[in-house]
Structures are given as C-alpha cells and as structure tokens.
Amino acid sequence: MKKSLLIQNGRTIDPSQGLDETGSLLIAEGKISWLGKGKETPPQADYDVLNAQGLIVCPGFIDLHCHLRQPGFEEKETIASGTRAAARGGFTTICCMPNTEPPLDNQTTVEYIKSKATSEGVVRVLPIGCISKGRKGEELAEMGELASTGAIAFSDDGEPAPNSHIMRQALAYSRAFDLPIIDHCEDKALTEGGQMNEGVISTKLGLRGIPSAAEEIMVARDLALAQLTGGRLHIAHTTTEGSVDLIRRAKEKGIRVTAEVTPHHLTLTEERVIGYDTNAKVNPPLRTERDIQALIQGLNDNTIDIIATDHAPHTEADKLCEFAFAPFGISGFETALGSLMSLVHDKQLTLVTLITKLTGEPARIIGNKYGKLGTLAIGAPADVTLFDPALEWVVDTRVFASKGRNTPLAGERLKGKVMATISQGKLVYKDDSIKVKER
Ligand SMILES: [Zn+2]
Ligand SMILES: [Zn+2]
C-alpha cells in the first residue's frame, strides 16, 4: 500500500464546506481521509509530511475550457505537455475543447482522448464533444453517443455554435443528458478580418476591429434560445459589459445559463496590443478597463459563475509573424493564478470568491458524473492545490511545461504562485522549495 501524505499547518480554504482555518489534511489511497484543526494530528501514524506553513491549501482548480491540441496539432501541445502545464498552474481537472483534428464529434475520438489522458496525462482530463458533425455547423453530432462516452458538455468552440436552428436543436436535445451547450459567442459577419477590440486604439494601429456587439448579438440569441428550449447554456469567455448585463437579466428571469471569464480578460486591456505583440492577440479580444470592471462586478454578484483559462497554446513560429497573420490565443495555465491574485491584492475579489470560481462552481457545472470534485470533503478524490498568495516571481516561459510559450506576460512579475498540486492523491507538481519529509 502506498504511504499516506499529511499536509500540515496550511491555511485550509474550502468554500464548499465554508472552511477557512489553519490545520492539516491527510490524503490516503487517493482520497481526502482526515481534516484537523490547528496542531491536531491524524489517528493513523504511517504518513509522509508536507509542511504547508504560509500556504493556502484548497481544492484543486478545475478548468472548464482549455485546448490540448491533440490529436492533430501535437507541435502546439499534447495531452502529456498540457496536463503537466495544468499541474504547474494548480489545475487538477481540465476540460478540453473538441477543435482537434479529427474533432471530438464521435465516440472513437473521445475514447482516444480518455485513453491518452489515462496513459500520459498527470491530471484529470474531461472531454467536451462537438455540437455539430465536423464542427461544420450543418448537422448535429451524435450527442447521445458523445454523452454516453463521457463528454461533459458540447461546444464547437473556435467557431460560434452553428445557425440558430441547429443551436435550438442542440439546446433542446441536450436536455435529455442534462449537459450544457457551451457557445463561443461571435457573429462572424461582424468579425471578419478583425484583429483586436474595435475602438480608438484599433483605429490608431490600423488594425481591423472586433466590436463588442459581435459578442453581445450571439449572447442575446443564445439566451433567447435557452429560454425557448429550457436547455442549459454556458457562455464561454465573456468579455464585454453588455454581455454581463444580458446574462444578469437572463438569470433574473430564471433562464438556465452559466458564464465564464478568462484570467486575461479580467486583467489585461486592449492597450497590450500597442506594439503589435502577437502574444496579446486573442479571440475574443482584450477589451477595455470599463469591461474589466463589469466582469469583476459580474463575478462578485454571481452573474459570472466561473473563471476558465481558455488555454490556447501555439508554437513560437505560429506567433512570429505579422500581427494580421498570427493565430489567436494565449497559453494560460501557468500564469492563471499569479495574474488572478492581482485582483485579490487590489481588493477587487476576495480570496474565497477567487477559489470558489476555480473550484466549487466549475464542479457544479460538471456535475457528479466523475465523483465529487471541487471539494476537500472527506471521501472526495484528493485533488488539492497549495499556493503562496504573496510570493513574487517572474514569468519565464523557458520553464513552461506547456509547448505554448505564447503569453503577453513573459518577463512580468506576478505575486502569488502555485507551490504544489496533488491530483487523485498523487503529487504531480511541486516547487523546488517544497520538501516532503518521510517519517
Ligand atoms: Zn472560443
Ligand atoms: Zn477556446
């Protein structure tokens, strides 16, 4: 039998149990087996010890939206590299989007992801299936087959959900499985050739703009269809003040909608594009300070349910080109916590709210199909993240586990760092300063 691990003297924060206290936590046989206050020690004696003094100990982070690029784009990322990057970012469960080649629109490709994740992954990978066959937007994918193979949601991410009729069918049909339809809200007629947020800066830079309306039109359409069908809708990467308003009003009306926001849309503005940094090119684009304030307000009043990375790795060569030709996307796993902690240090979000949006809330959207996630409750899978809220560090993309070093944060100083990640009872990442003592 494998030895147990005691995480000692950390500040345990588990919003799912209303827990915020100094104490210890025992992991045995892949599960949380004991929680103790202060200096209490567990009844059994056979365990190693990880000293977590000065660290926050919380449920492992859950990312509802990432791109692992496998199969088809292994030069950008693989399940092996992507799950290691997730572990470095404190994520123990990640949900991968189906825009691979071939796409995850059938049982075989979903099974492929699951088996690769088991053999080569270090954290839990939950696949998201396509809405439409081949992501072409013409015909619904075999949603029943995808659901029974383990898809936790449906999305054609990268592309908006197909025409309104297909979206209506998808929302109606998905009710049978009680799984959400995740939409990348973009009216393509308004974004054609768009490079960045539309406004004064795009005009100055001579780059074609992507107006807020392109997102809001699709959010409004999807909300109307969710109301019509009673289906579960999840809005991916919300970026505008107008979208937040629409979602807030829809929730007041009882429409079944949840929404996410990314770390980059919460912390970076369109000004990052000045200088034509292709690593700041992302879709939907970085917006304005006013939008950021609306998104933070949305998190605080629960209009926005979760934070998801939209981790979108690309190779250096992909991004090393003229702005107009660069692909959209930011490699986000390894900087997520550090950048989000700036909102806590600035008192715009509480630590508990931040942790809730990364743990219990995404777990609620996923449901219980994969066991109790997002909690440190006794008996739950031992998915645990340890982080230092105050440690300052400089983002060095050379040490990224992700193959994608495409981040506008390279070289920046962040305050708050993941120090250890435990996935299903296994220590899958630890900072060099963390020592595990045998006893
Ligand atoms: Zn998207
Ligand atoms: Zn995406």
Side-chain angles (χ1 to χ4, degrees), residues 65 67 97 99 155-160 183-186 236-237 260 283-284 310:
H65 185 156
H67 299 270
M97 282 294 177
N99 60 336
S155 182
D156 278 350
D157 186 46
E159 295 290 326
D183 200 14
H184 163 121
C185 292
E186 174 181 348
H237 42 51
E260 75 191 26
N283 188 20
D310 196 5

Side-chain angles (χ1 to χ4, degrees), residues 371-432:
K372 244 171 126 34
L373 304 178
T375 177
L376 298 177
I378 289 171
D383 295 340
V384 188
T385 295
L386 280 66
F387 68 90
D388 185 329
L391 185 68
E392 295 192 26
W393 58 290
V394 174
V395 178
D396 179 358
T397 57
R398 290 168 306 179
V399 303
F400 271 22
S402 173
K403 291 190 180 186
R405 280 102 201 260
N406 49 308
T407 170
L409 298 175
E412 297 216 2
R413 183 171 287 273
L414 300 178
K415 189 177 173 188
K417 190 173 192 298
V418 173
M419 302 303 280
T421 306
I422 293 153
S423 173
Q424 297 171 75
K426 263 199 237 146
L427 186 60
V428 291
Y429 169 70
K430 76 175 188 63
D431 186 88
D432 292 339

Side-chain angles (χ1 to χ4, degrees), residues 13 25 34 75 100 109 120-121 156 166 173 298 327 363 411 416 430 435:
I13 302 184
L25 178 160
W34 176 89
E75 72 284 4
T100 48
T109 45
E120 295 172 20
D156 278 350
I166 299 267
Y173 196 35
K430 76 175 188 63
K435 303 272 181 272

